[in-house]
Amino acid sequence: GQSLEQPSEVTAVEGAIVQINCTYQTSGFYGLSWYQQHDGGAPTFLSYNALDGLEETGRFSSFLSRSDSYGYLLLQELQMKDSASYFCAVRSTGGGGGNKLTFGTGTQLKVEL
Amino acid sequence: NAGVTQTPKFRILKIGQSMTLQCTQDMNHNYMYWYRQDPGMGLKLIYYSVGAGITDKGEVPNGYNVSRSTTEDFPLRLELAAPSQTSVYFCASKPPPGQPDSYGYTFGSGTRLTVV
């Protein structure tokens, strides 16, 4: 089976940098994704890492180490609107689709003034 | 371009009733998914489809059925609703591998279902 672990809650101040870690156990690993979800809203796609290293998209960066089964999401210049839940998700082989996405339980980020 | 549209947004069912959650996408995506999200938890895959006429079970398929007669529509059927099916249901879609933006799922706004 698959399992993902991430912290349940992280608090940071506006303008700061925060890192949300994710460790995973899976077979047939393809890559690691990150999604943002505001209260009651639809999850929105942030990033995807298939290879080791850092991917940068504006204020957000995502890192993957396949050998350590570990990744993180880095949020810079935090804004109040970044307060949300952040989910890591493993893309792996599954059935005939080969694109099964398994989600972690999410990290609630609270940005304070 | 509406993306992924789910209806209804809210529903209260009595135990034993049945209903269909509708999901439509207008992005010509082959891959479609149904997830459920319980309070404070991640999303769990119920069923998925890689194209019209092809469906497969996810992690938690018991109590649900799906069909995929067209590329656009992927309805989820609940038969004999139970309190354990109280959840928020999200439909999602993505292009097949190899196409632009094929790694990111586009989610609908969800259906909040309560079974009493």
Side-chain angles (χ1 to χ4, degrees):
Chain A
Q2 285 129 341
S3 67
L4 297 95
E5 285 192 21
Q6 50 182 130
S8 59
E9 193 173 305
V10 172
T11 302
V13 297
E14 195 176 30
I17 299 172
V18 71
Q19 178 174 313
I20 300 174
N21 298 320
C22 175
T23 58
Y24 60 87
Q25 288 185 317
T26 188
S27 56
F29 177 83
Y30 279 151
L32 188 70
S33 297
W34 288 91
Y35 285 79
Q36 179 192 61
Q37 184 182 36
H38 287 96
D39 277 346
T44 55
F45 173 70
L46 293 176
S47 67
Y48 176 74
N49 295 67
L51 303 175
D52 287 358
L54 193 68
E55 296 278 346
E56 298 180 60
T57 308
R59 294 188 298 114
F60 293 3
S61 303
S62 56
F63 172 83
L64 175 66
S65 169
R66 295 173 69 113
S67 59
D68 295 323
S69 298
Y70 164 76
Y72 66 73
L73 180 69
L74 191 73
L75 296 83
Q76 302 181 74
E77 301 172 16
L78 279 175
Q79 302 175 9
M80 297 299 290
K81 68 178 182 179
D82 297 328
S83 293
S85 290
Y86 292 83
F87 294 88
C88 58
V90 163
R91 176 174 169 248
S92 63
T93 55
N99 281 281
K100 191 165 64 173
L101 199 64
T102 303
F103 285 80
T105 54
T107 298
Q108 178 74 41
L109 171 64
K110 296 180 182 177
V111 181
E112 300 176 334
L113 290 171
Chain B
N1 189 342
V4 178
T5 302
Q6 292 184 238
T7 56
K9 294 191 183 305
F10 302 92
R11 183 72 184 267
I12 299 174
L13 277 184
K14 294 184 178 179
I15 294 171
Q17 287 185 321
S18 300
M19 77 165 293
T20 299
L21 282 67
Q22 302 291 345
C23 176
T24 299
Q25 53 90 12
D26 62 358
M27 298 171 286
N28 201 33
H29 286 173
N30 293 59
Y31 287 56
M32 295 188 74
Y33 306 83
W34 275 105
Y35 284 88
R36 61 175 286 175
Q37 185 177 32
D38 298 330
M41 301 296 289
L43 291 87
K44 295 196 174 181
L45 182 63
I46 306 171
Y47 270 95
Y48 68 96
S49 169
V50 300
I54 307 170
T55 63
D56 207 347
K57 296 177 180 179
E59 299 174 74
V60 290
N62 291 344
Y64 307 95
N65 277 300
V66 293
S67 60
R68 184 92 181 272
S69 57
T70 66
T71 299
E72 294 78 18
D73 301 306
F74 190 40
L76 178 72
R77 178 82 178 163
L78 278 73
E79 304 282 2
L80 299 174
S84 61
Q85 293 178 304
T86 294
S87 191
V88 181
Y89 292 83
F90 288 101
C91 179
S93 73
K94 67 178 283 299
Q99 290 199 10
D101 302 323
S102 63
Y103 299 122
Y105 287 34
T106 300
F107 282 84
S109 57
T111 295
R112 283 145 187 82
L113 176 68
T114 301
V115 181
V116 295

